[in-house]
């Protein structure tokens, strides 16, 4: 009480100190009277202030606390948040060892069958004491600047039991004006969560209306002021802090599950497998959230019931058995399940417990080489056939479908022509030996391969591949009737087009690969799209049966392609196909063609150039251009035209003078450059039209004007057609 008086009287005027003394005295008397008639269970003082010594000595008495459960204090149990201290049954707080560390606060939990309460011991260091003299530290809740309102910090244990409301503190007002009232406001009063706290406007007693949860809100910052009868503020507002004292009401929770760890078989003792950490929502500055870990159960419990250990503070799970016992191939199961508990209160018996399951998988190492199931494998394959011919089987004691189990096969001898390949079947781990280049019985009828098998992952250093990791494969090649083979293929011939029908082009040659058999063969045309060829079935001579035409639709890039079939007399008969490519040299067998064959012009035009003619020839150079253009014979009165050579393929037709409106047929002759040359004649129709005001009118043109030569040619043509 003397300490409380000293704190409250600090910096007050003598008159205010006298008023405060009388007020405190009245409170003490009221409390004494209340204790006589109405016992309040719990600690009689909730907050204690002590000074931090240089060192707390072992068995040193720190302070005495008073606890009353209003029923004789039978079986009262005390717990201290710091394990370096304890409270004796008589309420003596003593140190269990020499403590030099700075400690800010201790919490003492007292409980019996009839009462449960919490007290706080605040330890003031040297700096705190200096601040207390100069700054009025906040946890003493003294007001500076000679204010009349004194609002000490209120500390309330969470989860208090009914009945409510409970008085938890008091605001003191010195020099109080007659008729003034006290008012508090802030979060927990008139702000959400509303209605938690209220104040007796006359006495200043602060009460709480229901149980509080520190994990929801740890502190409440209220404001207190005095008002007159009209509601006008007289003094304040002043801060009033409400601190919620933590109780151990939250179990540790493992949030990060599922917990799965892996460790290689044969790992050294002390290998860290995994880490398990739990979360406790209680105050982390108290033992309520200080966790300790322990393994409760291991399944299976062979070969040792204690295969693993967990660091009680860090939560690291490590191996504790020798590497020899951590052998995946000899274990009952390749994984273990651990029931791990986390207990708060630093593992004390009164701590709350949370549990989780940890699964630890023993991962395989490549400590067993693959071994063939037999030393020699047999295979039979037909010549000329490709594909898988035999599956090679191995055993491996390592974990299936891992790099330590998966096999890799290599042909190390007997495959100089690279005719064989081997691949691993991913499902069975077998080696699939295949023929990738057809075999020839006539060349080699028997093959011997030497094959080795290894794992994808390297073996551990003290294990190697033995003789069982190699095997031989004996391959017997069966002879089959193979088809004839043309030589060369394709067969190429160069000849002129339009050679006489019946000409000999080529004599094909084919051989039978079955040299051990004496067989004959016959030939036939398999493909001859133009119907130009025939072949002697016995000797293979190819003759023409029709004219070869380089300009035919069946010729591509000057080449005509046909297929020839050869069939032997084996059982069953076998066939072979050869390609005959005939390249045709061009001859001048196509006359050139003139284009275009019509034109229009105006009768009074000043431009007497009528039309530009071009020529095209299906033959190749030199049997095509340069072309020579000439005019056909014209009647004396019709000599109004001339033709001028422009280049190798074009010529210009023009008038010597204007003509009247009419249609004119102009005979034009074009000759190619072949030897001998070919000539083509045609009439080019010229329409002379009336052109006035931008309109061209050719409708009234008279019948075509024909010269005598043209009329004669037309008459002969008509007679020839008839």
């Amino acid at each position: 009480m003397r300490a409380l008086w000293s704190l409250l009287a600090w910096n007050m005027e003598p008159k205010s100190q006298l008023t405060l003394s009388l007020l405190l005295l009245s409170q003490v008397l009221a409390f004494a009277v209340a204790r006589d008639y109405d016992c309040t269970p719990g600690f009689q003082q909730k907050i204690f202030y002590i000074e931090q010594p240089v060192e707390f000595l072992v068995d040193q008495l720190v302070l005495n606390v008073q606890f009353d459960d209003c029923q004789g204090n039978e079986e009262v149990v005390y717990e201290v948040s710091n394990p370096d201290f304890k409270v004796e049954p008589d309420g003596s707080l003593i140190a269990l060892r020499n403590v030099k560390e700075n400690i800010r606060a201790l919490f003492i939990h007292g409980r019996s069958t009839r009462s449960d309460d919490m007290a706080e011991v605040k330890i003031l260091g040297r700096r705190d004491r200096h601040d207390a003299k100069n700054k009025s530290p906040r946890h003493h809740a003294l007001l500076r600047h000679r204010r009349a309102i004194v609002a000490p910090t209120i500390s309330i244990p969470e989860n208090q039991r009914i009945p409510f409301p409970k008085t938890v503190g008091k605001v003191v007002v010195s020099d109080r004006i007659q008729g003034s009232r006290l008012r508090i406001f802030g979060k927990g009063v008139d702000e959400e969560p509303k209605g938690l706290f209220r104040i007796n406007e006359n006495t200043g007693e602060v009460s709480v209306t229901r149980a509080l949860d520190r994990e929801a809100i740890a502190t409440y910052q209220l404001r207190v002021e005095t008002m007159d009868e009209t509601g006008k503020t007289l003094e304040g507002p002043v801060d009033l802090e409400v601190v919620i004292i933590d109780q151990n009401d939250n179990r540790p929770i493992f949030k990060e599950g599922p917990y799965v760890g892996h460790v290689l078989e044969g790992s050294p003792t002390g290998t860290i497998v995994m880490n398990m950490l739990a979360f406790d929502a209680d105050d982390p500055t108290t033992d309520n959230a200080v966790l300790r870990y322990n393994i409760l159960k291991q399944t299976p419990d062979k070969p040792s019931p204690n295969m693993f250990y967990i660091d009680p503070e860090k939560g690291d799970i490590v191996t504790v058995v020798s590497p020899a016992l951590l052998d995946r191939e000899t274990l009952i199961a390749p994984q273990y399940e651990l029931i791990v508990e986390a207990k708060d209160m630093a593992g004390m018996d009164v701590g709350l417990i949370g549990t989780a399951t940890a699964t630890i998988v023993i991962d395989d190492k490549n400590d067993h080489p693959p071994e063939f199931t037999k030393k020699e494998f047999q295979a039979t394959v037909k010549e000329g056939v490709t594909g898988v011919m035999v599956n090679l089987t191995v055993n491996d004691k390592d974990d299936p479908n891992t790099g330590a189990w998966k096999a890799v096969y290599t042909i190390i001898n007997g495959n100089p022509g690279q005719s064989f390949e081997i691949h691993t079947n991913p499902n069975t781990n077998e080696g699939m030996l295949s023929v990738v280049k057809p075999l020839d019985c006539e060349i080699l009828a028997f093959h011997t391969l030497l094959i080795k098998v290894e794992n994808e992952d390297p073996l551990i250093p003290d294990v190697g591949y033995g003789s069982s990791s190699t095997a031989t494969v004996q391959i017997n090649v069966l002879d089959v009737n193979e088809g004839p083979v043309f030589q060369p293929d394709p067969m190429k011939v160069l000849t002129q087009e339009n050679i006489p029908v019946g000409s000999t082009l080529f004599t094909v040659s084919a051989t039978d690969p079955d040299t051990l058999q004496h067989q004959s063969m016959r030939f036939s045309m398999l493909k001859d799209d133009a119907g130009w060829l025939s072949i002697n079935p016995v000797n293979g001579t190819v003759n023409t049966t029709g004219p070869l035409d380089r300009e035919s639709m069946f010729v591509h890039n000057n080449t005509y392609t046909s297929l020839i079939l050869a069939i032997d007399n084996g059982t069953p008969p076998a066939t072979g196909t050869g390609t005959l490519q005939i390249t045709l040299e061009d001859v001048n067998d196509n006359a050139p063609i003139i284009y275009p064959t019509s034109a229009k012009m105006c009768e009074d035009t000043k431009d007497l150039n009528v039309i530009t003619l071009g020529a095209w020839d299906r033959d190749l150079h030199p049997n095509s251009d340069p072309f020579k253009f000439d005019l056909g014979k014209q009647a004396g009165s019709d000599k109004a035209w001339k033709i001028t050579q422009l280049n190798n393929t074009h010529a210009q037709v023009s008038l010597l003078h204007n003509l009247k409106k009419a249609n004119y047929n102009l005979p034009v002759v074009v000759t190619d450059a072949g030897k001998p040359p070919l000539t083509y004649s045609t009439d080019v129709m010229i329409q002379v039209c009336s052109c006035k005001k931008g309109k061209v009118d050719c409708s009234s043109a008279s019948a075509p004007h024909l010269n005598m030569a043209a009329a004669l040619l037309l008459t002969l043509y008509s007679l020839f057609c008839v």
Side-chain angles (χ1 to χ4, degrees):
M1 183 61 69
R2 184 180 300 111
L4 181 61
W5 157 252
S6 300
L7 290 172
L8 295 178
W10 210 342
N11 291 336
M12 287 188 178
E13 294 289 341
K15 181 179 179 181
S16 299
Q17 293 179 3
L18 177 60
T19 303
L20 180 59
S21 300
L22 295 175
L23 180 59
L24 291 175
L25 180 60
S26 66
Q27 294 298 320
V28 172
L29 293 176
F31 177 75
V33 172
R35 284 288 289 127
D36 290 339
Y37 298 100
D38 184 16
C39 176
T40 301
F43 286 101
Q44 304 309 301
Q45 183 176 341
K46 301 299 178 68
I47 302 178
F48 299 86
Y49 296 90
I50 63 173
E51 295 183 356
Q52 171 77 53
V54 175
E55 180 179 12
F56 288 103
L57 300 179
V58 62
D59 294 331
Q60 173 187 355
L61 175 63
V62 179
L63 59 82
N64 284 306
V65 297
Q66 293 183 358
F67 185 90
D68 191 351
D69 66 359
C70 302
Q71 295 291 332
N73 280 6
E74 295 181 0
E75 299 180 354
V76 175
V77 177
Y78 296 100
E79 297 172 358
V80 184
S81 61
N82 191 314
D84 294 332
F85 297 86
K86 71 174 181 178
V87 175
E88 298 287 0
D90 63 355
S92 300
L93 174 66
I94 62 174
L96 296 176
R97 68 177 183 88
N98 294 340
V99 180
K100 293 183 179 180
E101 295 86 353
N102 290 328
I103 302 173
R104 305 297 296 173
L106 299 174
F107 291 94
I108 303 173
H109 185 191
R111 57 188 175 87
S112 69
T113 57
R114 291 170 294 275
S115 180
D116 190 327
D117 200 5
M118 187 80 73
E120 180 182 10
V121 179
K122 293 188 176 182
I123 303 173
L124 304 178
R126 183 174 302 172
R127 181 177 179 181
D128 295 323
R129 294 194 298 272
H130 176 76
D131 291 343
K133 293 180 181 179
N134 296 281
K135 297 185 179 180
S136 297
R138 182 180 180 83
H139 59 265
H140 288 174
L142 296 181
L143 302 179
R144 299 184 293 272
H145 308 302
R146 303 168 60 88
R147 287 193 171 181
I149 300 176
V150 179
T153 298
I154 298 175
S155 298
I156 307 174
E158 64 174 336
N159 304 323
Q160 285 187 315
R161 300 172 183 173
I162 57 175
F164 288 99
K166 292 180 182 291
T167 300
V168 293
K170 187 170 184 177
V171 175
V172 178
V173 181
S174 61
D175 297 330
R176 185 169 178 178
I177 299 174
Q178 184 70 27
S180 63
R181 295 174 294 130
L182 285 165
R183 170 181 174 266
I184 59 173
F185 55 92
K187 185 175 181 180
V189 181
D190 55 352
E191 299 176 14
E192 294 295 341
K194 296 180 180 179
L196 292 181
F197 306 100
R198 59 192 185 195
I199 189 170
N200 186 312
E201 63 182 14
N202 296 316
T203 65
E205 290 181 341
V206 178
S207 58
V208 63
T209 61
R210 59 180 182 268
L212 304 178
D213 183 4
R214 189 205 67 85
E215 286 69 47
I217 301 177
T219 60
Y220 295 85
Q221 304 297 331
L222 305 181
R223 306 276 280 169
V224 59
E225 64 182 10
T226 59
M227 305 178 301
D228 61 15
E229 295 177 351
T230 65
K232 180 181 178 181
T233 300
L234 299 176
E235 179 72 19
V238 173
D239 292 338
L240 172 59
E241 182 179 40
V242 179
V243 178
I244 311 305
I245 301 174
D246 186 44
Q247 288 188 329
N248 193 20
D249 58 344
N250 289 277
R251 295 180 179 275
I253 299 174
F254 289 92
K255 290 184 174 182
E256 304 299 328
Y259 295 90
V260 179
H262 292 263
V263 61
L264 281 175
E265 63 174 334
S267 294
T269 302
T271 299
I272 297 178
V273 180
M274 59 190 300
N275 176 264
M276 291 186 69
L277 291 178
F279 168 77
D280 195 311
D282 289 319
D283 187 353
T285 64
T286 69
D287 282 355
N288 295 339
V290 176
L291 306 183
R292 295 293 182 265
Y293 300 92
N294 182 42
I295 297 176
L296 297 180
K297 184 180 179 181
Q298 170 191 301
T299 306
D301 59 357
K302 304 295 187 213
S304 169
N306 299 305
M307 301 283 290
F308 307 95
Y309 165 79
I310 188 168
D311 188 299
E313 296 184 5
K314 297 179 180 178
D316 291 335
I317 298 178
V318 299
T319 61
V320 293
V321 294
S322 66
L325 289 181
L326 211 61
D327 184 358
R328 183 184 176 93
E329 286 73 37
T330 61
L331 295 175
I332 297 175
Q335 68 181 38
Y336 289 84
E337 285 194 354
L338 307 180
I339 305 299
V340 178
E341 75 166 7
K343 182 185 290 188
D344 59 20
M345 296 301 293
M348 296 172 61
D349 291 341
V350 296
L352 301 179
I353 296 173
T355 61
T357 300
T359 300
I360 299 178
V361 180
I362 311 301
D363 290 332
D364 190 37
K365 287 198 302 188
N366 196 10
D367 54 353
H368 296 89
E371 298 178 345
F372 283 102
T373 57
K374 51 186 178 181
K375 291 297 296 180
E376 183 175 292
F377 295 84
Q378 302 289 335
T380 301
V381 60
K382 293 181 179 180
E383 64 174 340
V385 176
T386 59
V388 177
M389 60 180 178
V390 66
N391 288 325
L392 311 177
T393 54
V394 296
N395 289 327
D396 196 314
K397 297 179 182 179
D398 290 312
D399 190 22
N401 300 313
T402 64
W405 176 83
K406 293 179 180 178
V408 178
Y409 298 87
T410 306
I411 302 173
I412 58 177
N413 195 13
N415 190 28
Q418 305 301 311
S419 299
F420 305 95
E421 286 184 359
I422 188 166
H423 300 280
T424 303
N425 186 320
N427 298 320
T428 64
N429 217 26
E430 295 177 347
M432 300 181 294
L433 181 60
S434 304
V435 179
V436 293
K437 293 182 180 180
L439 304 177
D440 191 340
C441 179
E442 285 73 25
I443 297 177
L444 186 62
F446 193 79
H447 298 263
T448 300
L449 304 181
L450 182 61
I451 297 175
K452 72 174 180 180
V453 60
E454 299 174 309
N455 291 131
E456 286 186 0
D457 291 347
L459 293 171
I460 61 176
D462 54 343
V463 176
Y465 296 102
S467 59
S468 297
S469 296
T470 59
T472 58
V473 181
Q474 304 292 345
I475 302 169
N476 184 29
V477 184
L478 297 179
D479 188 27
V480 297
N481 186 23
E482 301 172 86
V485 178
F486 285 88
Q487 296 175 341
D489 191 22
M491 299 162 281
K492 297 184 178 182
V493 176
L494 177 64
T495 184
Q496 285 188 339
E497 63 176 334
N498 296 329
I499 61 174
V501 175
S503 300
T504 299
L505 291 176
F506 189 76
T507 298
V508 301
S509 175
T511 59
D512 194 327
D514 298 303
T515 57
L516 302 179
Q517 305 176 33
H518 299 286
Q519 298 176 345
S520 62
M521 68 184 72
R522 296 180 66 83
F523 302 96
S524 63
M525 295 301 302
L526 180 63
K527 179 184 177 184
D528 179 21
D529 294 337
W532 291 342
L533 307 174
S534 66
I535 188 169
N536 187 302
V538 177
N539 62 23
T541 299
V542 179
N543 296 321
T544 63
T545 59
L548 306 182
D549 184 7
R550 190 197 66 83
E551 291 77 32
S552 170
M553 61 180 292
F554 300 107
V555 177
H556 302 283
N557 296 325
N558 303 323
T559 300
Y560 179 68
T561 302
S562 63
L563 298 179
I564 300 174
L565 182 68
I567 182 169
D568 64 20
N569 62 346
T571 305
T575 62
T577 302
T579 301
L580 177 61
Q581 295 178 342
I582 304 173
T583 301
L584 299 176
E585 294 180 336
D586 187 43
V587 297
N588 195 19
D589 57 349
N590 292 278
I593 297 173
I594 294 175
Y595 63 92
T597 58
S598 65
K600 293 181 181 181
M601 64 176 296
C602 297
E603 62 180 338
D604 56 352
T605 181
K606 295 181 180 180
D607 183 5
L608 299 181
N609 290 325
V610 179
I611 186 174
T612 299
L613 299 178
W616 172 77
D617 196 321
R618 296 178 65 191
D619 293 319
L620 300 177
H621 184 79
N623 295 320
S624 57
D625 62 279
F627 301 115
K628 179 182 178 183
F629 294 87
D630 293 297
L631 290 176
K633 187 175 181 182
Q634 304 178 64
S637 60
D638 290 338
K639 291 182 179 180
W641 310 89
K642 73 172 181 178
I643 191 165
T644 304
Q645 192 87 23
L646 296 179
N647 53 36
N648 289 345
T649 57
H650 290 79
Q652 177 71 52
V653 176
S654 57
L655 280 172
L656 297 175
H657 55 79
N658 290 98
L659 296 178
K660 294 181 179 180
K661 178 179 178 182
N663 292 338
Y664 299 87
N665 286 327
L666 178 65
V668 178
V669 179
V670 61
T671 304
D672 64 22
K675 294 182 180 180
L678 295 180
T679 299
Y680 173 75
S681 299
T682 187
D683 286 338
V684 178
M685 187 181 76
I686 310 296
Q687 287 183 288
V688 179
C689 306
S690 174
C691 304
K692 295 180 179 181
K693 297 182 179 179
K695 294 182 179 181
V696 178
D697 181 14
C698 302
S699 60
S700 61
S702 59
H705 285 242
L706 301 177
N707 57 36
M708 294 180 62
L712 179 60
L713 288 173
L714 181 60
T715 302
L716 292 175
Y717 177 76
S718 300
L719 292 173
F720 177 77
C721 292
V722 173

